[in-house]
Amino acid sequence: MSTRSKWFLLPMAALTAGLIFAAACGGDDDDEGGDTTPGATSEATSGSGGGQAPADQQKIRIAQPEPQFLDPQKSNFEQDIGLERFLFRGLYNLTDDGEGGVEVVAMMADGEPVVTTEGETAVYTVKIRADAEWSDGVPVTAANFVYGLTRACDPDIASPYQYLLGAGLGDLVGCDALAQNTDPAQADALKAALGAKAIDDKTLELTLAKEIPTFKTIFALWTTFPARQDVIEEHADAWTLPENIVTNGPFTLSEFAVGDHLTLVPNASFVGTAPVLQEIYVQFVDDLSAAFRAFQNDEELQMTEVLATDVAVAESSGLSDNVLVVPSARITTIEAQMTDPVLSNFGVRLAISQVIDRQALVDSVFDGVHAPAYYWVVEGLVGHQGNEAFEGVIGYAPDKAAQTLADAGFPDGEGIPTLRWTARDNEQKRNEFAFVQAALAEIGIEIEAEFVDAATRSTMFNAEDFQLFPGGWQLDYPDIENPLVGLFNTDGGNNKYNCSDPDVDAAFEAAFTATSEEARIAAYQEVEKNIVEKLCGIIPLYQDARPFVVSTSIGGVVANGTIDAGLPGNYAPENWFVKAD
């Protein structure tokens, strides 16, 4: 193991403790956390604290990929979701608990929900804060949440995260029936039957098929955010343009230049902590090398993700105080389109898995920053099974790969057309492609690269327009259900690789109907066993750590690898500020 790999394991251990604490919903966590902003002190973790520059200096420039959507009910990529947390907030909010774990706190909700049961049905009554307003001064109402939830379940919207509100997770009564409806004549009745009602302007009633322990967590996620029916019906898909958008989060959108940047400014009506930053200029960047050079050259770029190989460069060039490596609850895999006539053959997928040396990939392309993985459920989650469970089945075995391919009917790759590899266009992804291309050539499989910008990549994935797609999963919340439900059950909203397997679906059903936590975890482990051992749409490669450079002039950035979405600490950008000189 390289020195840098050992260095990776130290923060990973802290993340592991935090994840287990959060997922178990109890117990003590002795790991000490705090502000991980380079150069910051523990007193400088809140936007409301001292040591801030004057208001006219509260402007920063950051870099991230361009979003496909700024519509919470349509989004499933982190560059969208991260920005939507700047703009919108739900009933509850996921935050860092001070020890690296995740805490759920009230946001638009006024206190705890009141839960009553009617047979097996559970009715959650949630009061909306009396002072909650949209950026145009209009009150946030229960009807806004009803409309947002209706959109999330509406097949015309086709939310990839609809399943969060469906059976086995959110269990919102009527959501699955509406989402699966194909008869336009039934749409209005199904919407009226949805288990989301506005009792009055500030009282929301949610009827679930059963009481769920993750209620506040589910209703902290973007898919459940409120939406303004009047604005959306007036402007349709153009409702998220700067001239039309209304927001209820800490910021609003003042500018969006397609292909270049967007600008965020404070939402004076935000009911939470008032932002200190007066402007956030978000430069759209796919080329992380270019972003790092901009940071090095002091071109007013204060935060960006960087290539793993640039961490050592930064440390050796006087920027060690700016380096922030965030242990990530993310797994990276090759996602394989199961409807493809070649990739639908298990033997082809297995041969690909057997010929890729994960350790060599991590060391040569990523400077040892990531950790090789043959699993899907990330380290740190209760139920994680680790490499030992799967390496013997799908692991690196170059002496077997050629025979596996021959047994699948393609000796020396004969009969396999050149396969398309769709990835973001940056140096690191080009190097990753070159590594995998060389490995697959050893058994006669040829692949060609299709390098695209982030927004195009998202669009192609959601359209299922790919063969091999280096992607993966970043946890939305720390529970074993999150990286499985909706991703591998037949017709799941994020199952764009079309994994469909009766053993997988049966294990899901066992998890959904489990009567104990032990049985639920065991059922989800069975889901993972089936998807990994059958390589059902995914070929695991490594568990990520995310390297960033952050200016020491910025305070309030408390990174949490579980709930960060593309940038460190962007679950709470209202806490960011420019420090006084």
Side-chain angles (χ1 to χ4, degrees), residues 253-269:
L253 184 67
S254 67
E255 184 182 22
F256 194 121
V258 175
D260 191 74
H261 73 278
L262 62 77
T263 305
L264 303 165
V265 296
N267 171 14
S269 299

Side-chain angles (χ1 to χ4, degrees), residues 33-180:
D35 189 5
T36 53
T37 306
T41 63
S42 59
E43 290 78 21
T45 60
S46 171
S48 60
Q52 299 166 4
D56 62 355
Q57 297 177 29
Q58 293 293 335
K59 300 179 180 180
I60 65 171
R61 182 183 293 250
I62 63 178
Q64 73 149 65
E66 182 173 4
Q68 181 184 8
F69 301 111
L70 291 178
D71 183 333
Q73 274 82 45
K74 291 186 176 182
S75 296
N76 63 340
F77 275 81
E78 67 179 5
Q79 62 262 27
D80 302 26
I81 294 160
L83 289 171
E84 287 162 3
R85 287 178 176 158
F86 286 71
L87 298 170
F88 307 101
R89 293 294 166 86
L91 294 172
Y92 305 97
N93 201 33
L94 301 181
T95 66
D96 188 275
D97 68 357
E99 298 181 331
V102 178
E103 181 180 7
V104 187
V105 299
M107 181 50 72
M108 296 295 121
D110 187 4
E112 293 294 308
V114 175
V115 186
T116 57
T117 56
E118 300 176 4
E120 294 184 356
T121 302
V123 178
Y124 289 74
T125 303
V126 184
K127 288 290 185 179
I128 310 300
R129 288 183 59 155
D131 54 352
E133 294 183 345
W134 293 91
S135 54
D136 61 356
V138 173
V140 175
T141 67
N144 298 149
F145 282 94
V146 172
Y147 184 63
L149 293 169
T150 302
R151 293 184 83 233
C153 301
D154 189 340
D156 290 339
I157 299 298
S159 171
Y161 269 92
Q162 177 274 326
Y163 64 85
L164 277 177
L165 297 168
L169 291 182
D171 271 312
L172 183 67
V173 166
C175 186
D176 283 343
L178 174 56
Q180 294 162 12

Side-chain angles (χ1 to χ4, degrees), residues 242-551:
E243 60 267 28
N244 301 327
I245 196 169
V246 292
T247 69
N248 73 324
F251 292 89
T252 192
L253 184 67
S254 67
E255 184 182 22
F256 194 121
V258 175
D260 191 74
H261 73 278
L262 62 77
T263 305
L264 303 165
V265 296
N267 171 14
S269 299
F270 180 51
V271 75
T273 301
V276 176
L277 291 175
Q278 299 303 297
E279 179 181 287
I280 303 176
Y281 184 100
V282 182
Q283 184 72 51
F284 300 148
V285 176
D286 283 301
D287 186 345
L288 297 183
S289 295
F292 180 50
R293 289 194 297 272
F295 187 93
Q296 285 178 301
N297 295 334
D298 196 25
E299 296 178 10
E300 299 182 357
L301 189 63
Q302 280 84 48
M303 182 189 301
T304 182
E305 184 176 1
V306 297
L307 301 179
T309 49
D310 280 332
V311 171
V313 176
E315 291 177 332
S316 64
S317 59
L319 296 175
S320 58
D321 289 343
N322 301 99
V323 173
L324 175 61
V325 179
V326 180
S328 177
R330 175 183 171 83
I331 192 79
T332 290
T333 71
I334 301 171
E335 295 173 337
Q337 182 52 254
M338 298 288 286
T339 61
D340 182 88
V342 171
L343 293 171
S344 62
N345 187 314
F346 168 71
V348 174
R349 302 193 304 276
L350 180 59
I352 291 172
S353 183
Q354 289 175 330
V355 83
I356 298 174
D357 185 342
R358 275 75 158 176
Q359 187 66 62
L361 171 65
V362 164
D363 288 343
S364 65
V365 175
F366 302 103
D367 202 19
V369 168
H370 306 317
Y374 294 101
Y375 51 83
W376 174 262
V377 173
V378 294
E379 181 179 357
L381 283 180
V382 173
H384 168 73
Q385 300 183 79
N387 283 328
E388 296 79 7
F390 307 113
E391 189 169 0
V393 180
I394 66 162
Y396 179 53
D399 54 329
K400 297 180 180 178
Q403 187 60 51
T404 297
L405 195 60
D407 292 344
F410 302 100
D412 298 321
E414 293 178 9
I416 298 180
T418 299
L419 299 174
R420 179 165 47 108
W421 175 277
T422 304
R424 279 175 56 190
D425 190 5
N426 62 52
E427 179 186 351
Q428 196 160 258
K429 287 302 178 184
R430 285 180 176 272
N431 291 339
E432 182 176 59
F433 165 73
F435 183 96
V436 174
Q437 182 185 45
L440 268 56
E442 295 177 8
I443 55 174
I445 296 178
E446 295 184 1
I447 60 174
E448 61 182 7
E450 180 178 39
F451 293 114
V452 297
D453 61 80
T456 300
R457 175 176 173 269
S458 302
T459 301
M460 293 178 70
F461 180 78
N462 284 320
E464 301 177 6
D465 180 14
F466 64 90
Q467 289 179 298
L468 297 173
F469 187 97
W473 188 254
Q474 164 69 42
L475 287 185
D476 302 318
Y477 58 95
D479 189 284
I480 191 173
E481 69 188 19
N482 178 250
L484 296 170
V485 181
L487 284 82
F488 298 101
N489 40 323
T490 299
D491 297 326
N494 279 318
N495 185 357
K496 305 301 183 182
Y497 24 79
N498 291 293
C499 171
S500 181
D501 183 275
D503 294 333
V504 172
D505 289 340
F508 273 121
E509 185 60 29
F512 295 161
T513 57
T515 57
S516 70
E517 182 65 358
E518 181 180 25
R520 186 180 77 96
I521 296 296
Y524 280 127
Q525 287 179 320
E526 186 67 16
V527 171
E528 183 190 23
K529 179 178 185 294
N530 277 285
I531 64 170
V532 172
E533 292 187 353
K534 297 179 182 182
L535 300 170
C536 197
I538 51 100
I539 302 171
L541 293 178
Y542 49 85
Q543 184 165 342
D544 300 38
R546 301 290 293 276
F548 302 91
V549 285
V550 182
S551 171

